[in-house]
């Protein structure tokens, strides 16, 4: 039997509960007796009850129903950008100016394809999970050359335990950065100095946005598919590389096309890192506090103000709070549930953070600087 918090997590990630329960039922070994110790003791039952009522209201408002036209047009605008990129090189040649313009167009299409695969990965487009999974394979594999299974394994850990050390892979910085308040102080007390963390807000520009996708993610993805013998995802990824090289080797040659591809990923990586970190790295990052589902998402996420550009630029992840509370809700409905979430936060005295885009981006550097200073103080004085 799932705990109160576990039930909310389970409900958040699955569209067809009856189907999933068929696989869960054989795993049931019994129910926890009331007198037994539980990790739920610090969770607010009233918040949990109110959140479930809020979810029921969202369901009654049909906010979990997607607009297929929205996602079709979104895919179309990615295909248009891919076509414009090829036509630019075909018509104007492979000089520096057409090449740079084409690289920025393709980086834009890759970033937008990343947001689109995110929708299918969260099962937020079709009613049937199978259709979402098939479309996800195509979106992340053929459009981006990545692995759906690698993404699912990594991303759902992040959603279940956002900003929790040892549980959220997105805050596993491999000793390159120290985050939040607890980690830098612990590193400082233990005299751990893998890098000069008091300068991490500066070297972030050199090794963060430039290298995450073209180096770290690319290595992870390839190794994951090979080690786990994920031949289906590998075939989809190969179809992406085949399409790209068939398209651009005639203009640049083999080596030139490889360099061109990595330059595109270098550009896309900047976009991806700034957008994804502005919602999380500036929030509480700590060890497991065992909060209820609603509270745990609110302390780890923040929003960015809505505008047409912000919605497009971030793939609607400017509504990060609502997305984390309702991962299967189509992104075009997140703004509709936001007032309900704000009301629930106000009722229980929980901070609902929303800020302008530029401030959100600046806060990334501010947060890294503060964590680095905490490390230095602990390193020198504790």
């Amino acid at each position: 039997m799932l705990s109160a918090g576990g039930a909310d997590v389970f409900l958040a990630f699955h569209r067809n509960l009856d189907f999933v329960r068929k696989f869960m039922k054989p795993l049931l070994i019994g129910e926890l007796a009331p007198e037994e110790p539980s990790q739920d003791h610090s969770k607010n039952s009233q918040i949990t009850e109110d959140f479930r009522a809020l979810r029921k209201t969202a369901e009654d408002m049909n906010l979990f129903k997607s607009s297929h036209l929205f996602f079709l047009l979104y895919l179309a605008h990615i295909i248009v950008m891919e076509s414009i990129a090829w036509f630019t090189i075909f018509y104007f040649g492979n000089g520096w100016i057409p090449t740079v313009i084409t690289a920025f167009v393709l980086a834009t299409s890759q970033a937008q394809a990343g947001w689109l695969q995110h929708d299918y990965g969260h099962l937020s487009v079709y009613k049937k999970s199978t259709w979402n999974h098939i479309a996800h394979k195509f979106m992340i594999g053929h459009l981006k050359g990545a692995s759906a299974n690698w993404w699912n394994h990594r991303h759902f850990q992040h959603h279940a335990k956002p900003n929790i050390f040892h549980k959220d892979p997105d805050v596993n910085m491999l000793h390159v950065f120290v985050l939040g308040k607890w980690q830098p102080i612990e590193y400082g007390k233990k005299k751990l100095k893998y890098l000069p963390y008091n300068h991490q807000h500066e070297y972030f520009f050199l090794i963060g946005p430039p290298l995450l996708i073209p180096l770290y993610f690319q290595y992870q993805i390839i190794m994951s598919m090979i080690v786990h013998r994920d031949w289906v995802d590998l075939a989809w990824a190969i179809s992406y590389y085949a399409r790209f090289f068939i398209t651009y080797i005639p203009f640049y040659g083999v080596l030139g096309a490889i360099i061109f591809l990595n330059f595109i990923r270098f550009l896309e990586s900047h976009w991806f890192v700034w957008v994804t970190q502005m919602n999380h790295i500036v929030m509480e990052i700590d060890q497991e506090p065992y909060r209820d589902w609603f509270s745990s998402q609110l302390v780890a996420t923040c929003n960015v103000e809505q505008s047409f550009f912000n919605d497009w630029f971030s793939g609607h992840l400017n509504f990060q709070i609502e997305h984390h509370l309702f991962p299967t809700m189509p992104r075009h409905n997140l703004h509709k549930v936001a007032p309900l979430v704000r009301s629930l936060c106000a009722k229980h005295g929980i901070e609902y953070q929303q800020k302008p885009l530029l401030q959100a981006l600046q806060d990334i550097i501010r947060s890294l600087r503060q964590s680095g200073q905490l490390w230095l103080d602990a390193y020198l004085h504790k």
Side-chain angles (χ1 to χ4, degrees), residues 48 98 121 135 158 175 238 317:
T48 298
H158 160 69
H175 307 303
I238 290 173
L317 293 181

Side-chain angles (χ1 to χ4, degrees), residues 108-302:
T108 302
S109 74
Q110 282 292 287
Q112 294 300 321
W115 308 145
L116 185 59
Q117 68 81 22
H118 179 264
D119 298 312
Y120 289 93
H122 275 295
L123 315 179
S124 65
V125 181
Y126 301 118
K127 287 184 178 180
K128 290 189 176 181
S129 297
T130 302
W131 296 356
N132 284 294
H133 288 309
I134 293 173
H136 188 217
K137 296 280 188 187
F138 170 79
M139 298 295 172
I140 196 171
H142 186 67
L143 293 187
K144 291 190 62 62
S147 165
N149 288 339
W150 166 83
W151 184 90
N152 286 336
H153 178 71
R154 180 186 178 93
H155 195 65
F156 287 126
Q157 290 180 75
H158 160 69
H159 265 268
K161 295 292 182 180
N163 286 12
I164 302 299
F165 288 117
H166 310 301
K167 295 185 178 181
D168 179 1
D170 287 3
V171 296
N172 177 16
M173 295 295 170
L174 303 175
H175 307 303
V176 176
F177 300 101
V178 289
L179 304 177
K181 297 179 180 179
W182 174 82
Q183 187 184 45
I185 293 174
E186 285 297 302
Y187 271 47
K189 288 180 178 178
K190 296 176 181 178
K191 309 306 177 187
L192 298 177
K193 187 182 180 181
Y194 297 96
L195 286 168
Y197 298 121
N198 52 311
H199 294 289
Q200 65 178 3
H201 61 288
E202 297 167 339
Y203 66 70
F204 168 79
F205 291 94
L206 300 176
I207 62 176
L211 300 182
L212 182 68
I213 290 179
L215 186 63
Y216 181 59
F217 273 6
Q218 190 57 45
Y219 172 79
Q220 267 202 346
I221 291 167
I222 293 173
M223 290 304 298
S224 173
M225 291 187 291
I226 294 174
V227 170
H228 296 104
R229 300 183 179 183
D230 196 349
W231 308 132
V232 173
D233 279 12
L234 183 60
W236 278 113
I238 290 173
S239 75
Y240 163 80
Y241 288 108
R243 175 172 60 87
F244 182 90
F245 288 124
I246 288 172
T247 302
Y248 291 104
I249 282 177
F251 300 106
Y252 296 104
V254 175
L255 180 60
I258 293 173
I259 295 173
F260 186 48
L261 172 62
N262 281 281
F263 180 57
I264 293 165
R265 287 188 165 156
F266 166 83
L267 296 174
E268 179 203 356
S269 188
H270 284 78
W271 190 330
F272 175 82
V273 170
W274 286 100
V275 168
T276 55
Q277 296 310 306
M278 70 183 182
N279 300 116
H280 289 299
I281 200 174
V282 300
M283 302 300 289
E284 178 184 299
I285 306 175
D286 209 336
Q287 295 179 299
E288 175 64 82
Y290 298 108
R291 294 187 179 97
D292 56 86
W293 170 255
F294 184 82
S295 300
S296 66
Q297 303 303 316
L298 264 295
V299 299
T301 57
C302 65

